[in-house]
Amino acid sequence: MKLILVSNENQPKMYGFVCPGCKRHHRIPVEGPQAWGFNGDLNNPTFTPSLNSFYDNGPNSPHQKVCHSFITNGNIQFLGDCYHDLKNQTVALPEIDEETYWK
Ligand SMILES: [Zn+2]
């Protein structure tokens, strides 16, 4: 399993994973107005379109950090604008379980 359900029953469905590039948790809504397309497979997930996360001072800051990726078939492809070492690389999304995710 590569995704954890992080929403509760009162929220639009949202999945989370631990990003191997920036080592942070990314959360992806799959229901509601901000939803990503999702193939429904927790072992080999595909999301569309790409995920783009901004850190520090927000998207308009000159000092922002970006983690930008495509998740396809259980692999995560990091794009060239990522700040971390896995930019321009594709790696398997790590396996997680409830216990390790919430640690
Ligand atoms: Zn990331």
Side-chain angles (χ1 to χ4, degrees):
M1 184 164 69
K2 297 182 170 179
L3 300 172
I4 295 289
L5 187 65
V6 295
S7 52
N8 65 38
E9 64 270 22
N10 299 316
Q11 299 171 312
K13 210 173 205 181
M14 189 185 301
Y15 288 100
F17 66 94
V18 179
C19 177
C22 65
K23 317 291 186 200
R24 297 178 195 233
H25 292 195
H26 292 310
R27 292 166 168 235
I28 311 171
V30 297
E31 287 178 354
Q34 309 268 308
W36 265 254
F38 175 43
N39 69 348
D41 189 337
L42 298 183
N43 295 307
N44 291 295
T46 295
F47 290 99
T48 50
S50 65
L51 308 172
N52 206 356
S53 298
F54 296 95
Y55 302 123
D56 294 349
N57 304 314
N60 296 319
S61 159
H63 303 299
Q64 64 179 308
K65 292 177 174 177
V66 174
C67 182
H68 192 189
S69 63
F70 282 102
I71 294 178
T72 308
N73 249 327
N75 295 318
I76 182 164
Q77 174 196 1
F78 292 105
L79 302 181
D81 54 346
C82 291
Y83 74 91
H84 51 67
D85 291 343
L86 289 183
K87 69 179 173 189
N88 294 317
Q89 293 186 47
T90 302
V91 299
L93 211 54
E95 294 286 330
I96 48 170
D97 54 44
E98 293 280 346
E99 203 176 315
T100 47
Y101 182 82
W102 294 110
K103 242 182 234 170

